[in-house]
Amino acid sequence: MLNEENFAPYFQFGAENQGNLRGKRIVVAMSGGVDSSVVAAMAASTGAETIGITLQLYDHGAAISRVGSCCAGQDIRDARAVADKLGIAHYVFDHESQFRETVIEQFADEYLAGRTPIPCVRCNMGVKFTDLLRIARELDADCLATGHYVRRIEGKNGAELHRAADPARDQSYFLFATTQEQLDYLRFPLGDLPKDRVRELANMVSLSVANKPDSQDICFVPDGDYAKIVRKVRPDADDAGNIVHIYSGEILGAHKGLIHYTVGQRRGLEIGGLAEPLYVIKLDAASKNVLVGPKSALAVGAARLVNPNWLEDIEGRSVLAKVRSLARPVSAVLRGDQLIFDSPEYGVAPGQAAVIYDAEGHVLGGAWIEETVSADMMASA
């Protein structure tokens, strides 16, 4: 076990328990990857009773030999093997039908509506941070621990969510919908560690997954072919339409379905021979048109937000907003449901999320982007 380090501070239950968690019960969400496996090892090393839980989220048969799929096939077997190695209990719960309804089908419907979905957030909001928390509470656990790279810091008003210490691994964007009640119960032991250190810890206890590759892309789209998944769920998805210039209204060509395009896309439009490169500016589900234009047309001055989860009051405050998982945070201010950018922002797409931070990396909350307002329209208002 991890005897040479004290991991109790990662599972805080008050000052009286520092360094001694015997008598406590920790449930660990185990996906079969190295991150959650190390969290399980850390929890077990504290002396607390540790229970591993894995949710089977999609077709076990189709994924049986796949590695890095998360919560299916080989990964479930890996999670079980790690639990056996650590000597902890491990349970698998079948949540395939719920995952299909709340994540996969919604993913397909969002694409059909001309939006750009983030299924990882939907999964965290649903089966992971709702169902897993319920199971952990039913098991009378003191907390639920996961392998996400974010930091949980006790603040004056309760637990706070912060960016991970390693910016290259930070997953706070995908956890913006975590409620205060959930955050009080969750623990994220890896938030202060670089990935290399996590693999070192896995090797220290000879975990079979120590050098297992990280999962790539969306777990249920292993080859990156989103359109194939959408067509499988919604067979009528390939609905052709026109590619139209957003300014002139000229029809520049035809497309084979909105599901093949995203806002900001440049390649694959198949409308060559033009004087300047064109980008996807908007997907109009009503007309089935793909609207394209110059890069300047991608400039967004504001975004209307819906279904927010605010962890602090940010109305009128100068904040940092991240509008894509790989985007850099930019200065903005929230006024009502409008997030107004200090400078035009590019590639802002309905269906994505706007996650709000302060200058220290404290997550203040976030919301879904419902629609955008062009920088030109903001300037002329």
Side-chain angles (χ1 to χ4, degrees), residues 11 13 23-29 48-53 132-145 184-187:
F11 305 94
F13 305 109
K24 296 294 181 179
R25 178 176 293 164
I26 300 171
V27 165
V28 178
E49 179 187 2
T50 302
I51 301 172
I53 297 292
L132 270 176
L133 261 76
R134 175 182 54 77
I135 293 170
R137 292 186 188 279
E138 288 175 353
L139 291 171
D140 199 26
D142 294 281
C143 75
L144 170 66
D184 288 339
Y185 191 66
L186 288 161
R187 300 295 185 274

Side-chain angles (χ1 to χ4, degrees), residues 328-376:
R328 62 181 178 83
V330 297
S331 298
V333 62
L334 183 74
R335 301 197 184 281
D337 63 355
Q338 295 284 321
L339 182 66
I340 303 170
F341 303 108
D342 289 5
S343 300
E345 181 68 1
Y346 291 81
V348 186
Q352 294 281 288
V355 181
I356 310 302
Y357 302 82
D358 66 14
E360 285 71 48
H362 175 197
V363 179
L364 306 177
W368 297 99
I369 298 171
E370 181 68 11
E371 60 182 353
T372 60
V373 181
S374 71
D376 289 344

Side-chain angles (χ1 to χ4, degrees), residues 17-341:
N17 294 116
Q18 289 293 333
N20 180 16
L21 299 186
R22 297 189 183 279
K24 296 294 181 179
R25 178 176 293 164
I26 300 171
V27 165
V28 178
M30 297 183 68
S31 67
V34 62
D35 298 324
S36 60
S37 297
V38 167
V39 170
M42 294 165 73
S45 75
T46 67
E49 179 187 2
T50 302
I51 301 172
I53 297 292
T54 300
L55 300 182
Q56 179 186 313
L57 298 183
Y58 54 96
D59 190 350
H60 185 278
I64 191 67
S65 62
R66 276 180 44 206
V67 175
S69 54
C70 177
C71 306
Q74 181 62 45
D75 297 289
I76 293 177
R77 297 195 297 189
D78 287 342
R80 182 175 290 117
V82 168
D84 289 344
K85 171 72 175 178
L86 298 173
I88 65 174
H90 178 251
Y91 303 100
V92 178
F93 293 87
D94 183 353
H95 278 55
E96 182 181 337
S97 61
Q98 185 173 351
F99 183 74
R100 178 182 175 88
E101 293 171 5
T102 61
V103 179
I104 298 179
E105 290 185 4
Q106 187 174 50
F107 172 84
D109 290 340
E110 286 282 272
Y111 263 111
L112 288 176
R115 299 161 66 82
T116 305
I118 320 176
C120 295
V121 176
R122 297 294 183 186
C123 183
N124 288 330
M125 290 173 63
V127 291
K128 286 189 177 175
F129 283 2
T130 299
D131 294 358
L132 270 176
L133 261 76
R134 175 182 54 77
I135 293 170
R137 292 186 188 279
E138 288 175 353
L139 291 171
D140 199 26
D142 294 281
C143 75
L144 170 66
T146 81
H148 289 99
Y149 284 85
V150 291
R151 289 182 296 156
R152 178 188 181 277
I153 296 175
E154 289 291 344
K156 60 181 180 180
N157 296 318
E160 298 175 350
L161 188 65
H162 288 249
R163 285 199 199 102
D166 182 354
R169 304 299 306 180
D170 176 56
Q171 294 175 299
S172 60
Y173 179 85
F174 300 102
L175 299 183
F176 82 87
T178 307
T179 66
Q180 186 63 58
E181 180 183 9
Q182 292 170 338
L183 192 55
D184 288 339
Y185 191 66
L186 288 161
R187 300 295 185 274
F188 306 108
L190 305 186
D192 289 307
L193 303 177
K195 184 65 177 236
D196 288 349
R197 181 57 179 151
V198 172
R199 291 199 183 277
E200 287 177 7
L201 294 174
N203 278 307
M204 282 173 56
V205 287
S206 302
L207 297 184
S208 59
V209 297
N211 299 308
K212 183 176 180 178
D214 292 335
S215 58
Q216 300 294 322
D217 298 312
I218 297 169
C219 66
F220 58 90
V221 194
D223 58 1
D225 190 347
Y226 301 159
K228 181 174 68 177
I229 295 296
V230 176
R231 285 195 300 269
K232 182 177 179 180
V233 177
R234 299 288 184 254
D236 58 347
D238 282 322
D239 211 350
N242 293 320
I243 299 176
V244 179
H245 198 288
I246 194 168
Y247 292 144
S248 69
E250 179 185 359
I251 296 177
L252 302 175
H255 67 79
K256 55 185 177 181
L258 295 180
I259 63 173
H260 299 280
Y261 304 91
T262 57
V263 171
Q265 179 178 335
R266 176 184 171 186
R267 300 178 184 273
L269 296 179
E270 300 179 354
I271 50 172
L274 300 173
E276 62 178 338
L278 297 180
Y279 299 77
V280 175
I281 308 301
K282 182 179 180 181
L283 302 173
D284 190 334
S287 67
K288 300 175 184 176
N289 288 339
V290 174
L291 303 179
V292 299
K295 186 175 182 180
S296 60
L298 282 171
V300 167
R304 183 168 70 86
L305 307 182
V306 297
N307 301 323
N309 176 52
W310 301 127
L311 298 171
E312 287 198 11
D313 182 10
I314 66 167
E315 175 70 27
R317 286 175 56 179
S318 179
V319 295
L320 294 174
K322 193 172 184 178
V323 294
R324 298 180 308 282
S325 62
L326 297 179
R328 62 181 178 83
V330 297
S331 298
V333 62
L334 183 74
R335 301 197 184 281
D337 63 355
Q338 295 284 321
L339 182 66
I340 303 170
F341 303 108

